[in-house]
Coordinates of all heavy atoms in Angstrom, one line a residue:
L312 N 162.7 -68.4 -31.6 CA 163.6 -68.0 -32.7 C 163.9 -69.2 -33.6 O 163.9 -69.2 -34.8 CB 164.9 -67.4 -32.2 CG 164.7 -66.1 -31.6 CD1 165.9 -65.7 -30.8 CD2 164.4 -65.0 -32.7
T313 N 164.1 -70.4 -33.0 CA 164.5 -71.6 -33.7 C 163.3 -72.1 -34.5 O 163.4 -72.9 -35.3 CB 165.1 -72.7 -32.8 OG1 164.1 -72.9 -31.8 CG2 166.4 -72.2 -32.2
S314 N 162.1 -71.7 -34.1 CA 160.9 -72.3 -34.7 C 160.1 -71.3 -35.6 O 159.8 -71.8 -36.7 CB 159.9 -72.7 -33.5 OG 160.6 -73.6 -32.6
V315 N 159.9 -70.1 -35.2 CA 159.0 -69.2 -36.0 C 159.8 -68.0 -36.6 O 159.2 -67.4 -37.5 CB 157.8 -68.8 -35.2 CG1 157.1 -69.9 -34.7 CG2 158.2 -67.8 -34.1
A316 N 160.9 -67.7 -36.1 CA 161.6 -66.4 -36.6 C 162.0 -66.5 -38.0 O 161.9 -65.6 -38.8 CB 162.8 -66.1 -35.7
I317 N 162.6 -67.7 -38.4 CA 163.1 -67.8 -39.8 C 162.0 -67.7 -40.8 O 162.1 -67.0 -41.8 CB 163.9 -69.1 -39.9 CG1 165.2 -69.0 -39.2 CG2 164.2 -69.4 -41.4 CD1 166.1 -70.3 -39.2
P318 N 160.8 -68.4 -40.6 CA 159.7 -68.2 -41.5 C 159.3 -66.8 -41.6 O 159.0 -66.3 -42.7 CB 158.6 -69.1 -41.0 CG 159.3 -70.2 -40.2 CD 160.5 -69.5 -39.6
L319 N 159.2 -66.1 -40.5 CA 158.8 -64.7 -40.5 C 159.8 -63.8 -41.2 O 159.5 -62.8 -41.9 CB 158.5 -64.2 -39.1 CG 157.3 -64.9 -38.4 CD1 157.1 -64.4 -37.0 CD2 156.0 -64.6 -39.2
L320 N 161.1 -64.0 -41.0 CA 162.1 -63.3 -41.6 C 162.1 -63.5 -43.1 O 162.3 -62.5 -43.9 CB 163.5 -63.6 -41.0 CG 163.8 -63.1 -39.6 CD1 165.0 -63.8 -39.0 CD2 164.1 -61.6 -39.6
V321 N 161.9 -64.7 -43.5 CA 161.8 -65.0 -44.9 C 160.7 -64.3 -45.6 O 160.8 -63.7 -46.7 CB 161.7 -66.6 -45.1 CG1 161.3 -66.9 -46.6 CG2 163.0 -67.2 -44.8
R322 N 159.5 -64.3 -44.9 CA 158.4 -63.6 -45.5 C 158.6 -62.1 -45.5 O 158.2 -61.4 -46.5 CB 157.1 -63.9 -44.6 CG 156.6 -65.3 -44.8 CD 155.4 -65.6 -43.9 NE 155.0 -67.0 -44.0 CZ 154.1 -67.4 -44.9 NH1 153.5 -66.5 -45.7 NH2 153.7 -68.7 -44.9
A323 N 159.3 -61.5 -44.5 CA 159.6 -60.1 -44.5 C 160.6 -59.8 -45.7 O 160.5 -58.7 -46.3 CB 160.2 -59.7 -43.2
E324 N 161.5 -60.7 -45.9 CA 162.5 -60.5 -47.0 C 161.7 -60.5 -48.3 O 162.1 -59.7 -49.2 CB 163.5 -61.7 -47.0 CG 164.4 -61.7 -48.2 CD 165.1 -63.0 -48.3 OE1 165.7 -63.4 -47.3 OE2 165.0 -63.7 -49.4
K325 N 160.7 -61.3 -48.5 CA 159.9 -61.4 -49.7 C 159.0 -60.2 -49.9 O 158.8 -59.7 -51.0 CB 159.1 -62.7 -49.7 CG 158.1 -62.9 -50.9 CD 157.5 -64.2 -50.8 CE 156.4 -64.4 -51.8 NZ 155.2 -63.6 -51.6
E326 N 158.4 -59.7 -48.8 CA 157.3 -58.7 -48.9 C 157.8 -57.3 -48.7 O 157.2 -56.3 -49.2 CB 156.3 -59.0 -47.8 CG 155.6 -60.4 -48.1 CD 154.7 -60.8 -46.9 OE1 154.7 -60.0 -45.9 OE2 154.1 -61.8 -47.0
D327 N 158.9 -57.0 -47.9 CA 159.3 -55.7 -47.6 C 160.2 -55.1 -48.6 O 161.1 -55.8 -49.2 CB 160.0 -55.7 -46.2 CG 159.1 -56.0 -45.1 OD1 157.9 -56.3 -45.3 OD2 159.5 -56.0 -43.9
G328 N 160.1 -53.8 -48.8 CA 161.0 -53.1 -49.7 C 162.4 -53.1 -49.4 O 163.3 -52.9 -50.2
D329 N 162.7 -53.2 -48.0 CA 164.2 -53.2 -47.6 C 164.7 -54.6 -47.4 O 165.8 -54.7 -46.8 CB 164.3 -52.4 -46.3 CG 163.5 -53.0 -45.2 OD1 162.8 -54.0 -45.4 OD2 163.7 -52.5 -44.0
G330 N 164.0 -55.6 -48.0 CA 164.5 -56.9 -47.9 C 164.4 -57.5 -46.5 O 165.1 -58.5 -46.1
G331 N 163.5 -56.9 -45.6 CA 163.3 -57.4 -44.3 C 164.3 -56.9 -43.3 O 164.3 -57.4 -42.1
E332 N 165.1 -55.9 -43.6 CA 166.1 -55.4 -42.7 C 165.5 -54.8 -41.4 O 165.9 -55.0 -40.3 CB 167.1 -54.5 -43.4 CG 168.2 -54.0 -42.5 CD 169.3 -53.2 -43.2 OE1 169.1 -52.0 -43.4 OE2 170.3 -53.8 -43.7
S333 N 164.5 -53.9 -41.6 CA 163.9 -53.3 -40.5 C 163.2 -54.3 -39.5 O 163.2 -54.1 -38.3 CB 162.9 -52.2 -41.0 OG 161.9 -52.8 -41.7
Y334 N 162.6 -55.3 -40.1 CA 162.0 -56.3 -39.3 C 163.0 -57.1 -38.5 O 162.8 -57.3 -37.3 CB 161.2 -57.3 -40.2 CG 160.3 -58.2 -39.4 CD1 159.3 -57.8 -38.7 CD2 160.5 -59.6 -39.5 CE1 158.4 -58.6 -38.0 CE2 159.7 -60.5 -38.8 CZ 158.7 -60.0 -38.0 OH 157.9 -60.9 -37.3
A335 N 164.2 -57.4 -39.1 CA 165.2 -58.0 -38.4 C 165.8 -57.1 -37.2 O 166.1 -57.6 -36.1 CB 166.4 -58.4 -39.3
Q336 N 165.9 -55.8 -37.5 CA 166.3 -54.9 -36.5 C 165.4 -54.9 -35.3 O 165.8 -54.9 -34.1 CB 166.4 -53.5 -37.1 CG 167.5 -53.3 -38.1 CD 167.4 -52.0 -38.9 OE1 166.4 -51.3 -38.8 NE2 168.5 -51.6 -39.5
W337 N 164.1 -54.9 -35.6 CA 163.1 -54.9 -34.6 C 163.2 -56.2 -33.7 O 163.1 -56.1 -32.5 CB 161.7 -54.8 -35.2 CG 160.6 -54.9 -34.2 CD1 160.1 -53.9 -33.4 CD2 159.8 -56.1 -33.9 NE1 159.1 -54.4 -32.6 CE2 158.9 -55.7 -32.9 CE3 159.8 -57.4 -34.4 CZ2 158.0 -56.6 -32.4 CZ3 158.9 -58.3 -33.9 CH2 158.0 -57.9 -32.9
L338 N 163.4 -57.4 -34.4 CA 163.5 -58.6 -33.6 C 164.7 -58.6 -32.7 O 164.6 -59.0 -31.5 CB 163.6 -59.8 -34.6 CG 162.3 -60.4 -35.2 CD1 162.7 -61.5 -36.2 CD2 161.4 -60.8 -34.1
I339 N 165.8 -58.1 -33.2 CA 167.0 -58.1 -32.4 C 166.8 -57.1 -31.2 O 167.2 -57.4 -30.0 CB 168.3 -57.7 -33.2 CG1 168.6 -58.8 -34.2 CG2 169.5 -57.5 -32.3 CD1 169.6 -58.4 -35.2
T340 N 166.2 -56.0 -31.4 CA 166.0 -55.0 -30.4 C 165.1 -55.6 -29.3 O 165.5 -55.5 -28.1 CB 165.4 -53.7 -30.9 OG1 166.3 -53.2 -31.9 CG2 165.2 -52.7 -29.8
M341 N 164.0 -56.0 -29.7 CA 163.0 -56.5 -28.7 C 163.5 -57.8 -28.0 O 163.3 -58.0 -26.8 CB 161.7 -56.8 -29.4 CG 161.0 -55.6 -30.0 SD 160.8 -54.2 -28.8 CE 159.7 -54.9 -27.6
G342 N 164.2 -58.6 -28.8 CA 164.8 -59.8 -28.2 C 165.8 -59.5 -27.1 O 165.8 -60.2 -26.0
T343 N 166.7 -58.6 -27.4 CA 167.7 -58.2 -26.4 C 167.0 -57.6 -25.1 O 167.5 -57.9 -24.0 CB 168.6 -57.1 -27.0 OG1 169.2 -57.7 -28.2 CG2 169.7 -56.8 -26.0
L344 N 166.0 -56.8 -25.3 CA 165.3 -56.3 -24.1 C 164.7 -57.4 -23.3 O 164.8 -57.4 -22.0 CB 164.2 -55.3 -24.6 CG 163.4 -54.6 -23.5 CD1 164.2 -53.8 -22.7 CD2 162.3 -53.8 -24.2
I345 N 164.0 -58.3 -23.9 CA 163.4 -59.4 -23.2 C 164.4 -60.3 -22.5 O 164.2 -60.7 -21.3 CB 162.5 -60.3 -24.2 CG1 161.4 -59.5 -24.7 CG2 162.1 -61.6 -23.5 CD1 160.6 -60.2 -25.9
L346 N 165.5 -60.6 -23.2 CA 166.6 -61.4 -22.6 C 167.2 -60.7 -21.4 O 167.5 -61.3 -20.4 CB 167.7 -61.7 -23.6 CG 167.3 -62.6 -24.8 CD1 168.3 -62.5 -25.9 CD2 167.2 -64.0 -24.2
G347 N 167.4 -59.4 -21.5 CA 168.0 -58.7 -20.4 C 167.1 -58.7 -19.1 O 167.6 -59.0 -18.0
I348 N 165.8 -58.4 -19.3 CA 164.9 -58.5 -18.2 C 164.8 -59.9 -17.6 O 164.8 -60.1 -16.4 CB 163.5 -58.0 -18.7 CG1 163.5 -56.5 -19.1 CG2 162.4 -58.2 -17.6 CD1 162.3 -56.0 -19.7
G349 N 164.7 -60.9 -18.5 CA 164.6 -62.2 -18.0 C 165.8 -62.7 -17.2 O 165.7 -63.4 -16.3
T350 N 167.0 -62.2 -17.6 CA 168.2 -62.6 -16.9 C 168.2 -62.0 -15.5 O 168.6 -62.7 -14.5 CB 169.5 -62.1 -17.7 OG1 169.5 -62.7 -19.0 CG2 170.7 -62.4 -17.0
V351 N 167.8 -60.7 -15.4 CA 167.8 -60.1 -14.1 C 166.8 -60.8 -13.1 O 167.1 -61.1 -12.0 CB 167.4 -58.6 -14.2 CG1 167.2 -58.0 -12.8 CG2 168.5 -57.8 -14.9
V352 N 165.6 -61.2 -13.7 CA 164.6 -61.9 -12.9 C 165.1 -63.2 -12.5 O 164.9 -63.7 -11.3 CB 163.3 -62.0 -13.7 CG1 162.3 -62.8 -12.9 CG2 162.7 -60.6 -13.9
A353 N 165.7 -64.0 -13.4 CA 166.2 -65.3 -13.1 C 167.3 -65.3 -12.1 O 167.3 -66.2 -11.2 CB 166.8 -65.9 -14.4
M354 N 168.2 -64.3 -12.1 CA 169.2 -64.3 -11.1 C 168.7 -64.0 -9.7 O 169.1 -64.5 -8.7 CB 170.3 -63.2 -11.5 CG 171.1 -63.6 -12.7 SD 172.4 -62.5 -13.1 CE 173.5 -62.7 -11.7
A355 N 167.6 -63.1 -9.7 CA 167.0 -62.8 -8.4 C 166.3 -64.0 -7.8 O 166.1 -64.1 -6.6 CB 166.0 -61.6 -8.6
C356 N 165.8 -64.9 -8.7 CA 165.1 -66.1 -8.3 C 165.9 -67.3 -8.3 O 165.3 -68.5 -8.3 CB 163.9 -66.3 -9.2 SG 162.7 -64.9 -9.2
A357 N 167.2 -67.2 -8.3 CA 168.1 -68.4 -8.4 C 167.8 -69.4 -7.3 O 167.7 -70.6 -7.6 CB 169.6 -68.0 -8.4
P358 N 167.6 -69.0 -6.0 CA 167.3 -70.1 -5.0 C 166.0 -70.8 -5.3 O 165.9 -72.0 -5.1 CB 167.3 -69.3 -3.7 CG 168.1 -68.0 -4.0 CD 167.8 -67.7 -5.4
L359 N 165.0 -70.1 -5.8 CA 163.7 -70.7 -6.1 C 163.9 -71.7 -7.3 O 163.3 -72.8 -7.3 CB 162.7 -69.6 -6.4 CG 162.3 -68.7 -5.3 CD1 161.3 -67.6 -5.8 CD2 161.7 -69.4 -4.1
L360 N 164.7 -71.3 -8.3 CA 164.9 -72.2 -9.4 C 165.6 -73.5 -9.0 O 165.2 -74.6 -9.4 CB 165.7 -71.5 -10.5 CG 165.1 -70.3 -11.2 CD1 166.1 -69.6 -12.1 CD2 163.9 -70.8 -12.1
T361 N 166.6 -73.3 -8.1 CA 167.3 -74.5 -7.6 C 166.3 -75.4 -6.8 O 166.3 -76.6 -7.0 CB 168.4 -74.1 -6.6 OG1 169.3 -73.3 -7.3 CG2 169.1 -75.3 -6.0
D362 N 165.4 -74.8 -6.0 CA 164.5 -75.6 -5.2 C 163.5 -76.4 -6.2 O 163.2 -77.5 -5.9 CB 163.7 -74.7 -4.3 CG 162.8 -75.5 -3.3 OD1 163.3 -76.4 -2.6 OD2 161.6 -75.3 -3.4
L363 N 163.1 -75.7 -7.2 CA 162.2 -76.3 -8.2 C 162.9 -77.4 -9.0 O 162.3 -78.5 -9.2 CB 161.7 -75.3 -9.2 CG 160.8 -75.8 -10.3 CD1 159.5 -76.3 -9.9 CD2 160.6 -74.6 -11.3
Y364 N 164.1 -77.2 -9.3 CA 164.8 -78.1 -10.3 C 165.3 -79.3 -9.6 O 165.4 -80.4 -10.2 CB 165.9 -77.3 -10.9 CG 166.4 -77.8 -12.3 CD1 165.4 -78.2 -13.2 CD2 167.7 -77.9 -12.6 CE1 165.8 -78.7 -14.4 CE2 168.1 -78.4 -13.8 CZ 167.1 -78.8 -14.7 OH 167.5 -79.3 -16.0
I365 N 165.8 -79.2 -8.3 CA 166.3 -80.4 -7.7 C 165.6 -80.7 -6.4 O 166.2 -81.2 -5.4 CB 167.8 -80.3 -7.4 CG1 168.1 -79.1 -6.5 CG2 168.6 -80.1 -8.7 CD1 169.5 -79.1 -6.0
S366 N 164.3 -80.4 -6.3 CA 163.6 -80.7 -5.1 C 163.6 -82.2 -4.8 O 163.6 -83.0 -5.6 CB 162.1 -80.2 -5.2 OG 161.5 -80.9 -6.3
D367 N 163.8 -82.5 -3.5 CA 163.8 -83.8 -3.0 C 165.0 -84.6 -3.4 O 165.1 -85.8 -3.3 CB 162.5 -84.6 -3.4 CG 161.2 -84.0 -2.9 OD1 161.3 -83.4 -1.8 OD2 160.2 -84.0 -3.6
S368 N 166.0 -83.9 -4.0 CA 167.2 -84.6 -4.4 C 168.1 -84.9 -3.2 O 168.3 -84.1 -2.4 CB 168.0 -83.8 -5.5 OG 169.2 -84.4 -5.7
E369 N 168.7 -86.1 -3.2 CA 169.6 -86.5 -2.1 C 171.0 -86.5 -2.6 O 172.0 -86.8 -1.9 CB 169.3 -87.9 -1.6 CG 167.9 -88.0 -1.0 CD 167.5 -89.4 -0.5 OE1 168.4 -90.3 -0.6 OE2 166.4 -89.6 0.1
T370 N 171.2 -86.1 -3.9 CA 172.6 -86.2 -4.5 C 173.2 -84.8 -4.8 O 174.3 -84.5 -4.4 CB 172.6 -87.1 -5.7 OG1 171.7 -86.5 -6.7 CG2 172.2 -88.5 -5.4
A371 N 172.4 -84.0 -5.5 CA 172.9 -82.7 -5.8 C 172.9 -81.8 -4.6 O 172.1 -82.0 -3.6 CB 172.0 -82.0 -6.9
N372 N 173.8 -80.8 -4.5 CA 174.0 -80.0 -3.4 C 173.3 -78.6 -3.6 O 173.7 -77.9 -4.5 CB 175.5 -79.7 -3.1 CG 175.8 -78.9 -1.9 OD1 175.1 -77.9 -1.6 ND2 176.8 -79.2 -1.2
P373 N 172.1 -78.4 -3.0 CA 171.3 -77.2 -3.3 C 172.2 -75.9 -3.2 O 172.0 -75.0 -4.1 CB 170.2 -77.2 -2.3 CG 170.1 -78.6 -1.9 CD 171.5 -79.2 -1.9
A374 N 173.0 -75.7 -2.2 CA 173.8 -74.5 -2.0 C 174.8 -74.4 -3.2 O 175.0 -73.3 -3.7 CB 174.5 -74.5 -0.7
L375 N 175.3 -75.5 -3.6 CA 176.3 -75.4 -4.7 C 175.6 -75.1 -6.1 O 176.1 -74.4 -6.9 CB 177.1 -76.7 -4.8 CG 178.2 -76.8 -5.9 CD1 179.2 -75.7 -5.7 CD2 178.8 -78.2 -5.9

Side-chain angles (χ1 to χ4, degrees):
L312 290 167
T313 55
S314 305
V315 303
I317 290 178
L319 293 176
L320 285 166
V321 167
R322 287 175 185 269
E324 172 194 307
K325 174 176 176 287
E326 298 169 358
D327 293 2
D329 63 352
E332 184 169 85
S333 61
Y334 188 63
Q336 292 170 345
W337 175 81
L338 277 180
I339 294 174
T340 300
M341 298 306 295
T343 303
L344 181 62
I345 293 170
L346 289 165
I348 294 172
T350 300
V351 173
V352 173
M354 292 185 69
C356 298
L359 297 176
L360 291 172
T361 297
D362 186 59
L363 172 68
Y364 204 44
I365 60 166
S366 62
D367 302 324
S368 169
E369 297 179 359
T370 59
N372 183 320
L375 184 58

